[in-house]
Amino acid sequence: LTAFAKTDRNRITRLAKRGHYDRATINHILDEALVCHVGFVEQHQPYVLPINFARLGATIVMHGSKTSRLLTHIAAGHPVCVEVTLVDGLVLARSVFHHSINYRSVVLFGTGHLVEADSDKLAALSAMMEQLIPGRWQAARQPTQQELNATSVVAIPIDHASAKIRRGPPGDDPADAAWPLWAGVLPLQVQALAPVPDTRMPVDVGVPEYLTNYARNKKD
Amino acid sequence: LTAFAKTDRNRITRLAKRGHYDRATINHILDEALVCHVGFVEQHQPYVLPINFARLGATIVMHGSKTSRLLTHIAAGHPVCVEVTLVDGLVLARSVFHHSINYRSVVLFGTGHLVEADSDKLAALSAMMEQLIPGRWQAARQPTQQELNATSVVAIPIDHASAKIRRGPPGDDPADAAWPLWAGVLPLQVQALAPVPDTRMPVDVGVPEYLTNYARNKKD
């Protein structure tokens, strides 16, 4: 299926025209994000924690320590909400009222489970590293059995999802257009600075190409 | 009080050495963020939504349409969790296992209420714009009474809060130090690109200094 159905859970109610339900749009946003924000409930209390993740098809995978409270909660099959937001710019209007942010966000819902087989865990871990640093997984020292055993991996099949996107210039009232104030968009982007080498590294090890050309932005 | 007490709600359990409870550290992270992620519960289901915000002393303020489901929920006094995360860099270790992210995050808890008086609403709206674009509030066309009436503002006094921070180089096992692979940190930063003027603007309006010198990073 190319799109998620609109349900009471994922329907965009405020500014419905900003809502998107097609998987291509949703996947594109998920794949650009560095971290997601996981919402869960314990004893009627909401919690939100940030964590690194990857999308594998229509499933979200995450990893952490065997003792992680978040992963233990997800693995127990409690319902969770996963949200990601990419901030693309500040929208400066003439009026205070019409100031805004250009953004792309996804909110998705599902219930998770533990990933048990070593081969599945390695596939998920590899996807998570590729999400952050494409090309790195092959180069790094692979996990030992002991390291793999100490790592929990959970998978959350996406049951409901929607995206919300704002793009473009400010939406000032026509009556304000002549207001003598700069109006427009200040684009924002996640950018890499110069890599900082670990001091313990032998001096003849060069900076790999996947770092010198690192670009987070995957917009087309 | 200069620090939050550790409670069952805000205590950092995994990697406790990364936990911080002093208000200065927590406030600094909150004040640098562009958006926060609000967790709430409806009929046992967790939800997380992104929203722009500001901190006013020991209170978080947010605004939106009178019809916003999130603001209505917060105004009703249900418990919420507010989370912000700043990603500072990718940590490249020799081993897959020790790869990480340098980040600064805050998780806080409270119950909100509607801000009713116009003067309090204006103070909150001004703080939210200053959080995004210092200097802009004074320059922009102020809200009309009708615009102010259409805007809901909520306040969430911070009851419990903690920060979690990872900084510095990879934590590789000593046995891996000679692995012939670049290791270190790739710093990431939110950066502004060239401002994009609204096409309807008179040509003689210059770009204000608070945009040409825009820097998100408030690290010392």
Side-chain angles (χ1 to χ4, degrees):
Chain A
L1 285 174
T2 58
F4 289 94
K6 296 183 200 180
T7 68
D8 287 347
R9 202 161 293 174
N10 69 336
R11 188 188 308 272
I12 307 292
T13 51
R14 270 297 301 158
L15 300 172
K17 65 184 177 183
R18 294 186 186 169
H20 299 262
Y21 301 86
D22 63 289
R23 288 178 189 265
T25 299
I26 290 166
N27 290 347
H28 206 73
I29 296 168
L30 290 172
D31 294 350
E32 187 176 325
L34 290 160
V35 295
C36 67
H37 310 274
V38 183
F40 60 101
V41 186
E42 277 186 356
Q43 297 177 319
H44 310 292
Q45 172 67 44
Y47 292 88
V48 183
L49 292 177
I51 191 167
N52 135 249
F53 76 105
R55 179 184 64 84
L56 276 177
T59 296
I60 298 294
V61 290
M62 301 168 184
H63 79 297
S65 158
K66 272 260 184 294
T67 64
S68 158
R69 173 180 162 197
L70 173 61
L71 294 190
T72 304
H73 185 90
I74 296 172
H78 299 295
V80 294
C81 176
V82 177
E83 179 256 334
V84 309
T85 295
L86 309 170
V87 176
D88 291 327
L90 305 178
V91 182
L92 291 89
R94 285 82 172 174
S95 62
V96 159
F97 186 74
H98 282 292
H99 278 70
S100 190
I101 294 180
N102 279 344
Y103 65 93
R104 290 166 290 148
S105 66
V106 165
V107 175
L108 65 88
F109 302 89
T111 55
H113 58 265
L114 203 62
V115 175
E116 312 246 18
D118 283 354
S119 58
D120 295 336
K121 289 173 75 170
L122 285 167
L125 292 169
S126 161
M128 281 181 266
M129 187 160 298
E130 289 297 301
Q131 167 107 355
L132 289 181
I133 316 157
R136 183 69 177 180
W137 177 265
Q138 290 293 344
R141 200 262 288 152
Q142 297 296 297
T144 64
Q145 189 64 47
Q146 191 182 0
E147 288 172 341
L148 200 56
N149 293 347
T151 304
S152 277
V153 175
V154 296
I156 305 169
I158 306 173
D159 291 332
H160 311 264
S162 56
K164 200 168 180 181
I165 299 175
R166 193 208 184 281
R167 299 184 202 273
D172 272 307
D173 301 333
D176 285 329
W179 194 268
L181 176 65
W182 193 92
V185 173
L186 184 70
L188 298 177
Q189 211 170 65
V190 174
Q191 291 192 339
L193 308 182
V196 178
D198 188 18
T199 51
R200 293 168 298 175
M201 194 165 48
V203 288
D204 58 341
V205 177
V207 180
E209 197 189 333
Y210 51 77
L211 289 189
T212 51
N213 291 327
Y214 189 84
R216 194 61 220 162
N217 199 299
K218 296 177 185 172
K219 273 185 289 192
D220 5 50
Chain B
L1 287 174
T2 60
F4 289 93
K6 295 183 202 182
T7 68
D8 286 347
R9 202 160 293 174
N10 69 336
R11 188 189 306 274
I12 307 291
T13 51
R14 272 294 303 156
L15 300 171
K17 66 183 176 183
R18 294 186 186 169
H20 300 262
Y21 300 87
D22 63 290
R23 286 177 189 266
T25 299
I26 289 166
N27 290 347
H28 205 74
I29 295 168
L30 291 173
D31 294 349
E32 187 175 326
L34 290 161
V35 294
C36 67
H37 310 274
V38 184
F40 61 101
V41 186
E42 279 186 355
Q43 297 178 319
H44 310 292
Q45 172 67 44
Y47 292 87
V48 183
L49 291 177
I51 191 167
N52 135 248
F53 76 103
R55 179 184 64 84
L56 276 176
T59 297
I60 296 295
V61 289
M62 301 167 185
H63 80 297
S65 158
K66 273 260 184 294
T67 64
S68 157
R69 174 180 161 195
L70 173 60
L71 294 190
T72 304
H73 185 91
I74 295 172
H78 300 295
V80 295
C81 176
V82 176
E83 178 256 335
V84 309
T85 295
L86 308 170
V87 176
D88 292 327
L90 305 177
V91 182
L92 290 89
R94 286 81 172 172
S95 62
V96 159
F97 187 73
H98 282 292
H99 278 70
S100 190
I101 293 180
N102 279 344
Y103 65 93
R104 291 167 290 148
S105 66
V106 165
V107 175
L108 65 88
F109 302 89
T111 56
H113 57 266
L114 203 60
V115 175
E116 311 246 19
D118 282 353
S119 57
D120 294 337
K121 288 173 77 170
L122 284 166
L125 292 170
S126 161
M128 281 181 265
M129 187 160 298
E130 289 298 300
Q131 168 107 354
L132 289 180
I133 316 158
R136 184 69 177 178
W137 176 265
Q138 290 294 343
R141 202 261 290 153
Q142 297 297 297
T144 63
Q145 189 63 47
Q146 191 184 0
E147 288 172 343
L148 200 55
N149 293 347
T151 305
S152 278
V153 175
V154 296
I156 305 169
I158 306 173
D159 292 331
H160 311 263
S162 56
K164 200 168 180 182
I165 298 175
R166 191 208 186 280
R167 298 183 201 273
D172 272 307
D173 300 335
D176 286 329
W179 193 268
L181 176 65
W182 192 93
V185 173
L186 184 70
L188 298 177
Q189 213 172 62
V190 174
Q191 291 192 339
L193 308 183
V196 178
D198 188 16
T199 51
R200 293 169 297 174
M201 194 166 48
V203 288
D204 59 340
V205 177
V207 179
E209 197 188 335
Y210 50 77
L211 290 189
T212 50
N213 292 326
Y214 190 84
R216 194 62 221 163
N217 199 299
K218 298 176 183 174
K219 273 186 289 191
D220 3 52

